[in-house]
Amino acid sequence: MKKIRLTPERREALRESWPALVTALLYVLAFPSAGLWPLAFVALAPTLAIAQGAKTTERTWWFGFVAGFVGNAGKLYWLVYTINHYGHFPLPAALVVFSLLCGFLGVFWGYTFWLTRRVGERVALPLSVVFPLAWMTQEWVLTWFLTGFPWSMIGHALVGWLPMAQAADVIGGLGLSFPVALGNAVIYEIWKFARERQSRPDRRFPVGEFVTFAMWVVALAVYGFLRIPAIDQQMASGRAIRVGMTQGNIDQNEKWNPGNQDRTFETYLAQAKKTVVDGASLVLMPETALPYWQTQGRALKSDLREFVDGVGAWTLIAVPTKVENPDDPEWPYKYNSVVLASPDGDLSDWYNKHRLVPFGEYLPLKKLSVPLVKWLRSIPALSKLRLSAGFYPGEEYIVFPHPEGRFGMAICYEIIYPGIVRKVVNLGTDFMVTITNDAWFGDTSAPHQHWDQVRMRAIEHRKYFARSANTGISGVIDAAGRTKSATGTYVPAAVTDDVRTMNVQTIYSRLGDWFQWVCVLAFLAFSAIAYARARRARAADGV
């Protein structure tokens, strides 16, 4: 086999990449479970330092890629467990798949640092302008490209100190990434000044950049300290609704085994009854909690009807469902669904999960992926491969008509997409519910990252969120993003708590990610100017 030989230039690039590893470490520590949120303001600065001073723009891209690859690997490490334990990939294959995802995200980081340098050089704008705009553009792309994966964007780290995060009701959680990226650019400029002040006495402290960043920080903190008491007053005037949240802690690999279905049923029924005894007028169960298929448009199956009768309260039933396919009766449409049942067994409309998990709940690009999966399963080591539940996405957003308050729904993965939650909230909700099955993540930091994203959605729309999760975290988050109650992870639990109705429409609810769009359009405009100038320069050189 031919040996891979590194050129001296590539060896030098590898040696110089260590600040990118510092970025990766600081980036990971800014999120749960470490939760050292101030590190978000400095995490990217080491990579900015080597990227801006790199000998070539190719190295600039490389340094950004390394930081993105390693940083996302540290944040998303739990996916290896998911792919291996539940996807039944052998560990080496799981690591390969995981590395491809981290590499995909690393490419975006690489181009962010590369474009920052190229555009900044051509347009002659300060780094404190170009880099935050470039970062915001990268995060915008990650909300939609190839279905998107906006998991814990860097601005979400600010929920670590709630006053700093309250402005999300104006600019959104994604908008908070702007001051964070700005802080990193300013930290780099200050470091550069300190490093060069001896050799360049004429170099001045970046006063303008520092003052701009300080104004952002002060404005966010002041807004938060003023906004929280106002929201507290609005919450106090809302109507209290007692909600019960069940957490069965059922192993995903056992739930559908015939011998365990009765145990699963009895576990959730006992927990639901306990919450009703504790005063719950609405009982929630986690995503696909009950291991029974229900056909939409028909009366509840006997098992599900027995469950509703046993609870004796309004119950959110979470089961996989089927809808008859008139074109092919043998292959009905399958959905990840919930429905609200009254104590008498009357049903509201079914809500079918819209944003499905690629490869876990459906196979994207079926003409290519289905033959690929069949081929992979033909390999003995991959014969047990499990990649898709074959679900279809839902088509309508709905609001559930509980008599004490209308509530909207986000199932699991949907909560990380601000646009989905905004669509539901704008239908007219008094509070929100989210259910999930975080058993897929294992006992890792993922459930805590997932929980913090619910907190950000609560701030954006000033709505209470009640959450029921199979393995935790279950509980209630108030309209200021505070955790009112929360279970531990990987323990069975039945918890009751009050949510309050909130008749508030925030600027973010009305306008969405308007601030991010301003940043994206500004960066695209600067990029177009830079491109035009580069073309003129090449033409002048006769290239």
Side-chain angles (χ1 to χ4, degrees):
M1 184 175 64
K2 186 178 180 180
K3 293 183 178 180
I4 299 176
R5 307 184 70 175
L6 293 175
T7 65
E9 181 181 355
R10 289 177 177 173
R11 283 198 294 269
E12 184 181 24
L14 286 173
R15 286 196 300 270
E16 293 177 352
S17 297
W18 67 265
L21 302 180
V22 175
T23 283
L25 175 62
L26 298 179
Y27 177 74
V28 172
L29 293 177
F31 292 99
S33 297
L36 302 177
W37 64 270
L39 294 180
F41 287 105
V42 300
L44 306 176
T47 301
L48 271 174
I50 54 173
Q52 291 296 110
K55 292 180 180 179
T56 65
T57 53
E58 288 76 13
R59 284 198 189 185
T60 295
W61 183 92
W62 166 254
F63 295 142
F65 173 81
V66 171
F69 180 93
V70 180
N72 281 288
K75 185 175 73 174
L76 304 174
Y77 70 94
W78 39 268
L79 279 171
V80 176
Y81 173 85
T82 302
I83 297 168
N84 171 238
H85 192 69
Y86 293 114
H88 298 294
F89 279 76
L91 183 58
L95 289 170
V96 169
V97 173
F98 175 67
S99 297
L100 289 174
L101 173 62
C102 295
F104 171 78
L105 297 172
V107 166
F108 283 94
W109 281 49
Y111 276 111
T112 299
F113 286 93
W114 181 82
L115 284 168
T116 295
R117 178 172 175 178
R118 294 299 296 265
V119 172
E121 291 172 348
R122 294 291 182 181
V123 185
L125 286 171
L127 184 70
S128 57
V129 173
V130 179
F131 181 65
L133 297 180
W135 191 267
M136 292 289 285
T137 302
Q138 179 226 169
E139 290 195 347
W140 167 71
V141 173
L142 284 176
T143 63
W144 58 266
F145 185 72
L146 295 180
T147 76
F149 188 58
W151 183 277
S152 293
M153 299 291 96
I154 198 167
H156 286 60
L158 298 190
V159 296
W161 189 49
L162 281 174
M164 193 69 74
Q166 297 303 310
D169 68 354
V170 178
I171 61 176
L174 294 174
L176 293 176
S177 293
F178 182 91
V180 173
L182 171 63
N184 281 275
V186 172
I187 291 296
Y188 161 70
E189 292 286 7
I190 294 174
W191 171 83
K192 187 177 180 182
F193 162 77
R195 188 184 185 194
E196 297 180 354
R197 62 183 304 181
Q198 298 297 330
S199 59
R200 294 181 55 187
D202 60 325
R203 184 169 178 82
R204 296 183 177 181
F205 184 84
V207 175
E209 290 91 337
F210 178 78
V211 169
T212 300
F213 172 60
M215 289 174 62
W216 264 100
V217 172
V218 171
L220 290 175
V222 170
Y223 180 84
F225 281 119
L226 295 176
R227 189 70 170 131
I228 289 176
I231 293 299
D232 285 341
Q233 289 183 352
Q234 291 175 308
M235 288 190 291
S237 64
R239 183 171 59 256
I241 303 171
R242 195 74 170 167
V243 179
M245 292 144 285
T246 59
Q247 180 173 304
N249 193 35
I250 307 297
D251 188 283
Q252 188 62 28
N253 281 331
E254 297 179 1
K255 182 168 67 174
W256 283 91
N257 290 340
N260 291 319
Q261 286 180 308
D262 289 344
R263 182 173 66 87
T264 299
F265 180 93
E266 294 299 333
T267 296
Y268 279 110
L269 181 58
Q271 289 183 347
K273 287 181 176 180
K274 180 182 183 303
T275 66
V276 173
V277 170
D278 292 338
S281 64
L282 171 63
V283 178
L284 310 181
M285 63 176 63
E287 178 186 18
T288 60
L290 297 181
Y292 307 103
W293 283 94
Q294 168 68 32
T295 300
Q296 294 185 31
R298 297 183 185 175
L300 288 179
K301 292 181 62 177
S302 58
D303 301 289
L304 298 178
R305 181 66 202 217
E306 179 185 347
F307 190 94
V308 173
D309 291 341
V311 175
W314 289 84
T315 305
L316 191 73
I317 301 173
V319 292
T321 63
K322 300 175 182 179
V323 173
E324 294 178 352
N325 181 358
D327 297 325
D328 192 349
E330 293 185 6
W331 292 94
Y333 298 108
K334 298 191 295 183
Y335 296 98
N336 183 339
S337 309
V338 292
V339 69
L340 182 64
S342 74
D344 297 326
D346 297 328
L347 303 181
S348 67
D349 291 333
W350 288 90
Y351 173 75
N352 301 319
K353 185 177 180 181
H354 283 66
R355 188 57 65 94
L356 303 174
V357 179
F359 300 103
E361 292 180 309
Y362 80 105
L363 289 177
L365 303 174
K366 287 186 177 181
K367 290 185 179 180
L368 296 176
S369 56
V370 171
L372 175 61
V373 170
K374 289 181 178 179
W375 176 77
L376 289 173
R377 285 175 175 163
S378 69
I379 301 173
L382 302 177
S383 60
K384 296 183 179 180
L385 201 63
R386 186 168 64 189
L387 276 174
S388 171
F391 286 130
Y392 284 80
E395 297 179 354
E396 294 183 54
Y397 296 101
I398 68 168
V399 175
F400 290 105
H402 188 272
E404 296 180 60
R406 291 158 51 87
F407 66 91
M409 169 61 58
I411 299 178
C412 188
Y413 190 60
E414 293 180 321
I415 202 69
I416 75 172
Y417 292 89
I420 289 178
V421 177
R422 178 172 170 261
K423 287 178 182 178
V424 177
V425 166
N426 284 338
L427 292 176
T429 60
D430 296 311
F431 65 98
M432 288 290 296
V433 165
T434 181
I435 62 174
T436 186
N437 181 12
D438 284 359
W440 299 105
F441 300 145
D443 195 10
T444 66
S445 63
H448 303 277
Q449 294 173 12
H450 208 184
W451 178 262
D452 273 7
Q453 292 177 88
V454 183
R455 296 172 69 197
M456 187 62 77
R457 302 290 90 81
I459 297 170
E460 288 172 342
H461 302 287
R462 299 305 179 187
K463 301 291 183 185
Y464 273 75
F465 273 77
R467 186 178 196 253
S468 181
N470 175 31
T471 53
I473 305 169
S474 302
V476 169
I477 296 167
D478 74 11
R482 290 175 297 216
T483 297
K484 286 188 77 248
S485 56
T487 66
T489 56
Y490 282 84
V491 290
V495 60
T496 57
D497 200 353
D498 290 341
V499 300
R500 288 186 174 269
T501 58
M502 291 287 288
N503 185 22
V504 177
Q505 188 181 41
T506 66
I507 293 174
Y508 181 78
S509 297
R510 290 197 299 270
L511 302 179
D513 292 305
W514 66 272
F515 181 72
Q516 189 178 45
W517 273 108
V518 169
C519 295
V520 170
L521 291 174
F523 185 71
L524 293 178
F526 291 142
S527 298
I529 294 171
Y531 177 73
R533 289 181 178 177
R535 286 195 64 181
R536 286 198 296 269
R538 287 196 297 268
D541 293 337
V543 178

